[in-house]
């Protein structure tokens, strides 16, 4: 790591603890609605371990089947799901899905945002350039592109994308990974809802897809209530109870 980058990371992290909530947590609006947005190389089933925990707590849960064909298409799909909610809603995203909720989260119906090892771009930010200020995860070497869409090789998916997930579950997730347009990673939002909405962030300390220090930087920048999990990128699969607890907190409920 260069001296400049070391100073950049250090300056972004020193002002607050990494593992627990900030001293003054954001004000929450109690809500029973949660909309979940999955990220690249996944589908809605990646939330299947989190959903039962939220439902058992009495929440109404909707998982968006994110098309991953363009930012506009993913935003539209999420807006449709949000429009079906009957009141205040917590919007949750994993991975690239954080780009989507940063755009959609300005909707008045959204009461809070939860980012799970997720991107959290600022408005019109070149997130690719920001990411390059941190070491690249080994998963990138396994990206295979065909006809403008990308998937992960089986080796990269199992070793790096799903590290920490039980092997049989990781193979299931590999089988249902959704092709992701190569163009979406450079897409820029016109909004950054985390500037005005209470936000929560779950950092994955063992992430081989998004650099954990980048996740910490994003969480600090948005002044998010933050937890750190001993998990790889798919913490929503390997640590569903902890992820669900963070969502419950954002919804104004006690931990289950």
């Amino acid at each position: 790591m260069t001296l400049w980058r070391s100073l950049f990371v250090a300056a972004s992290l020193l002002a607050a603890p990494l593992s627990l909530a900030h001293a003054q947590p954001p004000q929450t609006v109690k809500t029973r609605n949660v909309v979940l947005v999955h990220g690249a190389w996944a589908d809605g089933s990646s939330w299947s371990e989190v959903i039962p925990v939220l439902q058992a707590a009495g929440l109404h849960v909707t998982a968006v089947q994110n098309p991953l064909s363009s930012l506009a298409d993913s935003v539209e799909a999420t807006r449709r799901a949000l429009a079906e909610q009957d009141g205040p809603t917590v919007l949750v995203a994993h991975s690239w899905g954080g780009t989507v909720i940063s755009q959609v989260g300005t909707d008045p119906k959204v009461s809070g945002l939860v980012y799970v090892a997720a991107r959290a771009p600022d408005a019109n930010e070149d997130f690719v350039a920001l990411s390059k200020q941190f070491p690249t995860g080994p998963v990138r070497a396994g990206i295979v592109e065909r006809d403008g869409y990308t998937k992960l090789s089986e080796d990269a998916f199992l070793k790096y994308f799903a590290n920490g997930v039980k092997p049989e579950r990781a193979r299931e997730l590999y089988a249902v990974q959704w092709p992701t347009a190569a163009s979406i990673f450079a897409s820029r939002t016109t909004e950054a809802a985390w500037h005005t909405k209470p936000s929560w962030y779950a950092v994955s300390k063992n992430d081989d897809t998004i650099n954990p220090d980048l996740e910490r930087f994003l969480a600090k920048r948005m002044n998010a209530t933050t937890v750190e999990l001993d998990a790889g990128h798919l913490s929503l699969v390997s640590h569903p109870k902890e992820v669900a607890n963070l969502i419950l907190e954002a919804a104004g409920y006690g931990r289950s």
Side-chain angles (χ1 to χ4, degrees):
M1 181 179 288
T2 65
L3 175 61
W4 181 90
R5 188 163 60 207
S6 298
L7 293 172
F8 175 80
V9 173
S12 69
L13 300 178
L14 285 177
L18 295 179
S19 59
L20 296 174
H22 292 287
Q24 294 189 7
Q27 293 191 357
T28 60
V29 175
K30 192 163 186 177
T31 174
R32 64 180 295 272
N33 299 312
V34 175
V35 170
L36 308 170
V37 183
H38 68 79
W41 309 308
D43 72 355
S45 68
S46 59
W47 294 105
S48 61
E49 282 83 5
V50 172
I51 291 171
V53 182
L54 299 178
Q55 290 177 332
L59 297 184
H60 173 257
V61 185
T62 302
V64 176
Q65 291 296 351
N66 189 351
L68 301 174
S69 49
S70 69
L71 176 57
D73 291 345
S74 296
V75 164
E76 182 182 0
T78 304
R79 289 196 192 281
R80 286 197 301 268
L82 186 58
E84 295 173 354
Q85 309 307 309
D86 62 2
T89 302
V90 173
L91 204 50
V92 185
H94 175 245
S95 194
W96 183 80
T99 303
V100 179
I101 70 168
S102 294
Q103 180 75 35
V104 177
T106 55
D107 188 293
K109 193 176 284 187
V110 175
S111 60
L113 304 166
V114 180
Y115 294 81
V116 181
R119 289 182 170 213
D122 207 342
N124 201 39
E125 182 171 51
D126 184 344
F127 198 85
V128 173
L130 174 64
S131 299
K132 288 180 179 178
Q133 297 171 14
F134 299 83
T136 301
V139 77
R140 297 296 173 187
I143 297 175
V144 179
E145 183 174 345
R146 181 176 181 180
D147 298 328
Y149 280 81
T150 65
K151 296 185 82 172
L152 292 178
S153 69
E154 185 172 7
D155 185 66
F157 193 102
L158 299 180
K159 283 185 180 179
Y160 304 122
F161 190 70
N163 60 315
V165 176
K166 293 180 179 179
E168 60 273 17
R169 180 67 173 123
R171 287 192 292 269
E172 291 174 3
L173 292 166
Y174 171 74
V176 300
Q177 72 163 306
W178 199 251
T180 301
S183 61
I184 69 171
F185 298 107
S187 297
R188 301 192 188 192
T189 64
T190 59
E191 306 280 355
W194 47 264
H195 280 296
T196 57
K197 298 294 176 76
S199 300
W200 288 257
Y201 200 109
V203 172
S204 286
K205 293 196 289 185
N206 306 317
D207 203 320
D208 286 331
T209 300
I210 297 178
N211 187 280
D213 281 337
L214 174 55
E215 295 177 13
R216 294 177 180 118
F217 167 78
L218 297 172
K220 174 59 182 170
R221 180 171 71 169
M222 69 172 74
N223 196 32
T225 298
T226 305
V227 297
E228 292 212 351
L229 304 178
D230 289 314
H233 191 56
L234 295 180
S235 58
L236 67 172
V237 180
S238 64
H239 290 67
K241 185 69 177 294
E242 291 91 334
V243 170
N245 277 339
L246 193 63
I247 297 169
L248 287 167
E249 183 178 332
Y253 287 72
R255 293 178 177 245
S256 66

